[in-house]
Amino acid sequence: MSDSLNAPEASRSGVPEPVSSHVPGVSVRHSRAKGEPRFPDGPKADPAGSHFERRIRSFQPRRSRVTAGQADALQRLWPQWGLDIDGRQVIDLGELFGNDKPVVLEIGFGMGEATAQMAAGDPDTNILAVDVHTPGQGNLLNLAEQNGLSNVRVANGDAIILLREMLRPDSLDGLRVYFPDPWPKKRHHKRRLIQPEFLALAATRLKPGAIVHCATDWEPYAEQMLEVLAAHPDFENTQADGGFAPRPEFRPLTRFEGQGLDKGHVVNDLLFRRVPHQQQ
């Protein structure tokens, strides 16, 4: 989650961070030698490099300060629970998670608190969580370890490349896009993630019956999401009236979302189902 309600902030979870050799409060980027990788055993700065076409992206990498606990989690846990989106291999989700449980893709998880809560509340569903925000990646890994969550994997990079190059058809049981960047200025609307082209790609990776769940506090974006999803032939609204859905119990109401609601923000949820494949 990456909008104004979920802006990155260190140590939101309140979970004690593991002891590490890093000096507390010291930025990792200030303690490494020139030219040294930021996290030698952690996520790469640009995993896909220049191997794929330049295009308008729906996200902007944010390289804010990484806490000692986040850095420690990235170094220790990334080799086991992390995935760099390099676009060079098709991944086996059963091998990635070590089981054949359903897999939901979450695009944009912010600092990861809601992701960790959902993983804890539904241990029989695997969550492949994608983001480009390094502190959030470290924080989610930290939360997963602290809470014994074996059903979370953290992916670093462009979700479009992941969907297009690295996931098999009909491999996902759900897709979650919570509070994506609303790109409010009209000239930036083309950067919004929920577009017909994105849905067409996502549909190829979603099993029939899979649920696409979007949420946003930006009402014009919510209306666009509803319009685009309703018009797409591969999806149907789960709401009989064709409108927005009540917030499902499994999507946590975060403290920051609550603050937004207190300010008068309106949060809209959309729940659409992948329809069965059309007979050729």
Side-chain angles (χ1 to χ4, degrees), residues 31-79:
S31 61
R32 60 192 172 99
K34 183 178 181 180
E36 180 184 350
R38 196 176 191 203
F39 302 101
D41 298 318
K44 294 181 174 62
D46 185 11
S50 58
H51 302 293
F52 297 94
E53 76 282 0
R54 295 288 179 182
R55 58 177 172 77
I56 297 171
R57 292 184 173 182
S58 63
F59 63 89
Q60 288 182 319
R62 302 181 304 278
R63 299 291 183 238
S64 52
R65 191 179 69 85
V66 178
T67 68
Q70 293 161 2
D72 179 74
L74 287 166
Q75 282 291 101
R76 291 187 303 103
L77 302 175
W78 191 261

Side-chain angles (χ1 to χ4, degrees), residues 41-148:
D41 298 318
K44 294 181 174 62
D46 185 11
S50 58
H51 302 293
F52 297 94
E53 76 282 0
R54 295 288 179 182
R55 58 177 172 77
I56 297 171
R57 292 184 173 182
S58 63
F59 63 89
Q60 288 182 319
R62 302 181 304 278
R63 299 291 183 238
S64 52
R65 191 179 69 85
V66 178
T67 68
Q70 293 161 2
D72 179 74
L74 287 166
Q75 282 291 101
R76 291 187 303 103
L77 302 175
W78 191 261
Q80 179 184 2
W81 290 342
L83 170 70
D84 276 311
I85 301 172
D86 59 13
R88 297 186 177 189
Q89 59 179 327
V90 176
I91 60 176
D92 184 322
L93 292 176
E95 183 178 331
L96 181 67
F97 285 94
N99 57 61
D100 58 358
K101 295 177 181 179
V103 178
V104 171
L105 175 66
E106 181 178 357
I107 299 177
F109 56 79
M111 295 304 289
E113 296 95 337
T115 305
Q117 289 183 53
M118 289 186 290
D122 186 8
D124 290 327
T125 295
N126 295 322
I127 301 177
L128 178 56
V130 182
D131 210 306
V132 294
H133 184 51
T134 311
Q137 293 167 351
N139 200 57
L140 180 53
L141 289 170
N142 222 345
L143 291 170
E145 181 182 51
Q146 293 284 347
N147 293 282

Side-chain angles (χ1 to χ4, degrees), residues 260-271:
L261 292 171
D262 290 342
K263 296 175 182 177
H265 294 190
V266 175
V267 176
N268 286 299
D269 285 75
L270 302 93
L271 290 167

Side-chain angles (χ1 to χ4, degrees), residues 232-258:
H232 201 286
D234 290 328
F235 298 99
E236 63 182 6
N237 200 333
T238 62
Q239 303 304 298
D241 64 359
F244 298 110
R247 179 181 65 85
E249 291 185 2
F250 67 79
R251 183 175 75 75
L253 178 64
T254 67
R255 174 165 57 95
F256 295 90
E257 182 179 349

